[in-house]
Amino acid sequence: MAGEYHEPYELLPDEAIEFHRMIKSVIEELEAVDWYNQRAAVTKDPALKAIVEHNRDEEIEHACMGLEWLRRNFANWDENLRTYLFTEAPITEIEEAETGGAAAGEGAEPESGTDSSLGIKSLK
Ligand SMILES: [Fe+2]
């Protein structure tokens, strides 16, 4: 278990461990989406294709459930999902519109680089 962590497990607070659990779960779901999608793209068997497409779409549902948990429990996720999801403007222009262009080009730096709290809400 400890091998999956980047810091000593015994030092990690419960919130960071729960965060890790869901991040890993979402990664696994998205990986499964990709794998099923690739299988669907190449199989010659229509029945097999239908099954892996069905499975792929269920994994998308699972990934979205995980994202919603992250949104409910970590403020920065909520803020960013509200900013970027279900919008129509060119995606890279949304941040400029939000900040008046001041933050253009900041996309490569994770928010955690400037905020050690990660916007984490208490899970208790
Ligand atoms: Fe799943």
Side-chain angles (χ1 to χ4, degrees):
M1 169 182 269
E4 293 194 329
Y5 295 91
H6 286 265
E7 298 294 337
Y9 177 80
E10 58 276 10
L11 296 181
L12 291 169
D14 290 348
E15 288 81 1
I17 292 169
E18 299 293 12
F19 184 74
H20 175 77
R21 283 193 178 105
M22 187 52 76
I23 290 287
K24 289 289 289 184
S25 295
V26 171
I27 288 169
E28 289 160 4
E29 299 296 353
L30 293 176
E31 196 167 56
V33 169
D34 182 31
W35 292 347
Y36 282 127
N37 193 57
Q38 290 184 39
R39 288 168 191 153
V42 299
T43 183
K44 304 283 190 281
D45 182 319
L48 195 160
K49 182 181 178 72
I51 292 167
V52 292
E53 285 179 340
H54 168 89
N55 293 352
R56 174 200 62 199
D57 293 346
E58 289 211 339
E59 302 297 7
I60 291 172
E61 179 182 16
H62 300 164
C64 288
M65 289 177 177
L67 290 173
E68 175 62 6
W69 185 90
L70 291 168
R71 187 194 68 77
R72 292 183 186 190
N73 289 282
F74 295 87
N76 199 36
W77 284 86
D78 182 74
E79 183 182 329
N80 279 285
L81 291 171
R82 287 181 188 279
T83 298
Y84 289 100
L85 268 58
F86 309 108
T87 55
E88 301 296 333
I91 294 168
T92 54
E93 292 178 13
I94 294 172
E95 184 181 32
E96 291 178 45
E98 280 265 308
T99 62
E106 280 187 1
E109 284 297 317
E111 293 292 320
S112 57
T114 56
D115 177 6
S116 61
S117 76
L118 286 172
I120 293 173
K121 291 179 190 172
S122 173
L123 295 173
K124 293 172 181 119

